[in-house]
Amino acid sequence: MSFLSRIMVLKSRAHFSAGSRSPTRGSSFEGSRKRKSAQAKNRVGLLIAGFTVFYCVIGGRLVQYGVAEPLTTSSILPPDRLMASRPDLVDRNGEVLATDIRTVSLFAEPHKIVDPDEVVEKLSTVLNDLDVKSTYTKLTSDSRFQWLRRQLTPKQQSQILALGIPGIGFRPEKRRFYPGGSTAAHVVGHVNIDNRGVAGMERYVDSQGLADLAAVGMTSSQPLEPVKLSLDLRVQAIVREVVVSAIKKFQAIGAGAVVMDVHTGEILAMASVPDYDPNNPAEGAEEGWLNRMSNGTFEMGSTFKSFTIAMALDTGRVKITDSFDARYPIRIGGFTIKDFHGKGRLLTVPEVFQYSSNIGTAKMADVVGIEGHKAFLTKIGLLTKMQTELPEVAQPSQPREWKKINSITISFGHGVSTTPLQTAVAGAALINGGKLVQPTFLPRTREQADLVAKQVIKPSTSDSMRYLFHVNGVKGSGKNARVEGFNVGGKTGTADKVVNGRYVHDKNFNAFLAAFPIDNPEYVVLTFIDEPKTDKGNGAALAGSSAAPMAHDIISRAAPILGVKPKFGNDGSALLVSY
């Protein structure tokens, strides 16, 4: 049988079978079909209802967003949407020295820019200093994001928004703001465009972990606890004002001053000029960034005689009642050591200090010896790098090999270069009972200071040094620093500067190391003036006529603020200290 024949037979059998079914089985088959049809309709209905609800929800949300009132008219996002915060820096009384403010930066999405030339032209109408070539390059690049200008002012943002440029947007950021401007620039420091500390205490804060947390994305946008500094903004303003005035008066290349608590090492004020405005640090890049107080090294001149005499007294080999022959110059190694205002006679130790005798001081150093001299200056912190929070700290310089000629010249302040700040710190140890306390720019109690202090001279030696400072303040070169009632004592230092390897007499570095009240010292003040013009008839050649008056102006204005009470006799005159 062929294949087609078999097909025909099967069809006929199927027809016969269908025709022979019973009516009951046919009714059952028809009911099943109706049930399945109803289920299918129900499923389609459920799908339609689901899609209807879904699109109704979406439509409702769109209507809600369309009619809802905006929460803010500013394009700057709320604080919780901004970049991570830095802690405020405040002075010891809570006055703000540095804080974050909200700002925006301008960016472009080059792939959305239609006409780069038009964009550059429009932006130039708002940003007058826009780098046209650089901006055009960014707008035509293959990248999808380019910064065009960081930290715009609100006015600039508003004007650019009004231009309606597609492909241009704003990103919220935070900008560091320094309310005092240049007042405490070198202490507070500044941040870079990404709000990271690069100088001063701003950099110190980052070094304590803030920068590391930011690098791994663990910083928060929430306000951080303020960092309190030891500065007193009122005293800081006075110090800077005095320093600025001095640099103008003496037409100097630099000047500076510091006020420090002799017991705790706290820096109450410190200024170095030229300085800069941390709100716009780039403008001071050439000269203003150098902190001459802590990051500049200088030969401190006769202020070093204080340390030489303290060293000699502390060894016990020299007594304050001893005398030294200052009649004849000292000749050594082809050099002649003589006194600037020689008396041509024997001088007692107080007279050596008062008349600033190079000969007498050199002979005291010779009594101690070269190794003892070097060891003492190291112990008192003048030959090693100072330890403090401020990052900008210079390493002192000294001769590679100390010979007798080196010890002699170093005894009166030539041959070793130190920073003015560490000279003040060492000076504090001479009059606070003999304790060397490293300086701090953070608050510190006396109890905390005692834990880190080092006894470097005997208390009896410190008593003698207070007496010498007092005598020089009343009768000697420190007279111009006297403030009625506050018993200022100190030591001047007038040093010839080195130019091309030789000392020159027309370029001076003048300094004054002072303390008050000298009978019971609370604060040390160091002032300096770098290369004052000596041909103006203003007495700038000597520290007693330039640096000492700076100390007078600072102490007379700052002492009442610091709570130091003046002492007067019954007749209203200043009460002198007796030893």
mmCIF file of all heavy atoms in Angstrom, residues 299-315:
data_model
loop_
_atom_site.group_PDB
_atom_site.id
_atom_site.type_symbol
_atom_site.label_atom_id
_atom_site.label_comp_id
_atom_site.label_asym_id
_atom_site.label_seq_id
_atom_site.Cartn_x
_atom_site.Cartn_y
_atom_site.Cartn_z
ATOM 1 N N GLU A 299 72.036 84.709 61.618
ATOM 2 C CA GLU A 299 72.969 84.898 62.721
ATOM 3 C C GLU A 299 72.350 85.941 63.642
ATOM 4 O O GLU A 299 72.099 87.069 63.224
ATOM 5 C CB GLU A 299 74.337 85.336 62.198
ATOM 6 C CG GLU A 299 75.040 84.252 61.400
ATOM 7 C CD GLU A 299 76.478 84.616 61.038
ATOM 8 O OE1 GLU A 299 76.859 85.788 61.239
ATOM 9 O OE2 GLU A 299 77.209 83.737 60.557
ATOM 10 N N MET A 300 72.106 85.556 64.880
ATOM 11 C CA MET A 300 71.291 86.371 65.776
ATOM 12 C C MET A 300 72.091 87.421 66.542
ATOM 13 O O MET A 300 71.548 88.106 67.410
ATOM 14 C CB MET A 300 70.541 85.469 66.761
ATOM 15 C CG MET A 300 69.561 84.515 66.096
ATOM 16 S SD MET A 300 68.244 85.334 65.151
ATOM 17 C CE MET A 300 67.384 86.231 66.431
ATOM 18 N N GLY A 301 73.375 87.558 66.231
ATOM 19 C CA GLY A 301 74.152 88.631 66.829
ATOM 20 C C GLY A 301 74.254 88.521 68.341
ATOM 21 O O GLY A 301 74.301 87.426 68.909
ATOM 22 N N SER A 302 74.279 89.663 69.011
ATOM 23 C CA SER A 302 74.581 89.708 70.446
ATOM 24 C C SER A 302 73.504 89.113 71.337
ATOM 25 O O SER A 302 73.718 88.985 72.547
ATOM 26 C CB SER A 302 74.851 91.157 70.871
ATOM 27 O OG SER A 302 76.029 91.644 70.259
ATOM 28 N N THR A 303 72.346 88.760 70.790
ATOM 29 C CA THR A 303 71.383 88.026 71.625
ATOM 30 C C THR A 303 72.008 86.715 72.100
ATOM 31 O O THR A 303 71.647 86.202 73.161
ATOM 32 C CB THR A 303 70.087 87.722 70.854
ATOM 33 O OG1 THR A 303 70.397 86.986 69.665
ATOM 34 C CG2 THR A 303 69.365 89.005 70.465
ATOM 35 N N PHE A 304 72.980 86.188 71.335
ATOM 36 C CA PHE A 304 73.649 84.940 71.697
ATOM 37 C C PHE A 304 74.519 85.100 72.933
ATOM 38 O O PHE A 304 74.884 84.114 73.579
ATOM 39 C CB PHE A 304 74.475 84.428 70.518
ATOM 40 C CG PHE A 304 73.875 83.223 69.843
ATOM 41 C CD1 PHE A 304 72.564 83.262 69.394
ATOM 42 C CD2 PHE A 304 74.603 82.067 69.657
ATOM 43 C CE1 PHE A 304 71.999 82.170 68.767
ATOM 44 C CE2 PHE A 304 74.045 80.967 69.027
ATOM 45 C CZ PHE A 304 72.738 81.011 68.574
ATOM 46 N N LYS A 305 74.889 86.336 73.266
ATOM 47 C CA LYS A 305 75.695 86.549 74.472
ATOM 48 C C LYS A 305 74.929 86.120 75.714
ATOM 49 O O LYS A 305 75.527 85.740 76.731
ATOM 50 C CB LYS A 305 76.113 88.015 74.560
ATOM 51 C CG LYS A 305 77.119 88.414 73.494
ATOM 52 C CD LYS A 305 77.387 89.910 73.484
ATOM 53 C CE LYS A 305 78.346 90.247 72.337
ATOM 54 N NZ LYS A 305 78.512 91.705 72.147
ATOM 55 N N SER A 306 73.599 86.171 75.633
ATOM 56 C CA SER A 306 72.775 85.705 76.750
ATOM 57 C C SER A 306 73.049 84.230 77.024
ATOM 58 O O SER A 306 73.187 83.811 78.184
ATOM 59 C CB SER A 306 71.290 85.904 76.429
ATOM 60 O OG SER A 306 71.007 87.224 76.053
ATOM 61 N N PHE A 307 73.147 83.443 75.969
ATOM 62 C CA PHE A 307 73.362 82.002 76.132
ATOM 63 C C PHE A 307 74.799 81.701 76.546
ATOM 64 O O PHE A 307 75.035 80.781 77.330
ATOM 65 C CB PHE A 307 73.008 81.286 74.833
ATOM 66 C CG PHE A 307 71.642 81.652 74.317
ATOM 67 C CD1 PHE A 307 71.482 82.328 73.116
ATOM 68 C CD2 PHE A 307 70.502 81.348 75.045
ATOM 69 C CE1 PHE A 307 70.237 82.688 72.656
ATOM 70 C CE2 PHE A 307 69.236 81.692 74.596
ATOM 71 C CZ PHE A 307 69.100 82.374 73.396
ATOM 72 N N THR A 308 75.743 82.477 76.039
ATOM 73 C CA THR A 308 77.140 82.265 76.419
ATOM 74 C C THR A 308 77.352 82.544 77.902
ATOM 75 O O THR A 308 77.998 81.766 78.616
ATOM 76 C CB THR A 308 78.064 83.168 75.582
ATOM 77 O OG1 THR A 308 77.820 82.947 74.196
ATOM 78 C CG2 THR A 308 79.527 82.885 75.895
ATOM 79 N N ILE A 309 76.801 83.657 78.385
ATOM 80 C CA ILE A 309 76.959 84.003 79.796
ATOM 81 C C ILE A 309 76.210 83.011 80.682
ATOM 82 O O ILE A 309 76.715 82.591 81.736
ATOM 83 C CB ILE A 309 76.481 85.443 80.044
ATOM 84 C CG1 ILE A 309 77.401 86.426 79.310
ATOM 85 C CG2 ILE A 309 76.434 85.752 81.536
ATOM 86 C CD1 ILE A 309 76.965 87.869 79.393
ATOM 87 N N ALA A 310 75.008 82.593 80.258
ATOM 88 C CA ALA A 310 74.260 81.588 81.024
ATOM 89 C C ALA A 310 75.043 80.291 81.104
ATOM 90 O O ALA A 310 75.086 79.639 82.160
ATOM 91 C CB ALA A 310 72.899 81.349 80.378
ATOM 92 N N MET A 311 75.672 79.911 79.993
ATOM 93 C CA MET A 311 76.488 78.695 79.967
ATOM 94 C C MET A 311 77.642 78.801 80.955
ATOM 95 O O MET A 311 77.889 77.868 81.741
ATOM 96 C CB MET A 311 77.031 78.476 78.555
ATOM 97 C CG MET A 311 78.080 77.394 78.430
ATOM 98 S SD MET A 311 78.805 77.356 76.767
ATOM 99 C CE MET A 311 79.726 78.907 76.755
ATOM 100 N N ALA A 312 78.346 79.938 80.933
ATOM 101 C CA ALA A 312 79.496 80.114 81.817
ATOM 102 C C ALA A 312 79.076 80.083 83.282
ATOM 103 O O ALA A 312 79.736 79.458 84.128
ATOM 104 C CB ALA A 312 80.199 81.428 81.488
ATOM 105 N N LEU A 313 77.966 80.755 83.615
ATOM 106 C CA LEU A 313 77.484 80.760 84.991
ATOM 107 C C LEU A 313 77.015 79.375 85.426
ATOM 108 O O LEU A 313 77.215 78.964 86.576
ATOM 109 C CB LEU A 313 76.342 81.770 85.146
ATOM 110 C CG LEU A 313 76.688 83.255 84.968
ATOM 111 C CD1 LEU A 313 75.421 84.099 84.991
ATOM 112 C CD2 LEU A 313 77.654 83.717 86.050
ATOM 113 N N ASP A 314 76.390 78.648 84.513
ATOM 114 C CA ASP A 314 75.807 77.350 84.868
ATOM 115 C C ASP A 314 76.878 76.304 85.156
ATOM 116 O O ASP A 314 76.630 75.367 85.921
ATOM 117 C CB ASP A 314 74.901 76.866 83.743
ATOM 118 C CG ASP A 314 73.828 75.903 84.224
ATOM 119 O OD1 ASP A 314 73.064 76.279 85.135
ATOM 120 O OD2 ASP A 314 73.770 74.773 83.706
ATOM 121 N N THR A 315 78.045 76.456 84.543
ATOM 122 C CA THR A 315 79.126 75.499 84.807
ATOM 123 C C THR A 315 79.728 75.693 86.191
ATOM 124 O O THR A 315 80.389 74.794 86.726
ATOM 125 C CB THR A 315 80.244 75.643 83.768
ATOM 126 O OG1 THR A 315 80.808 76.966 83.866
ATOM 127 C CG2 THR A 315 79.727 75.407 82.364
#
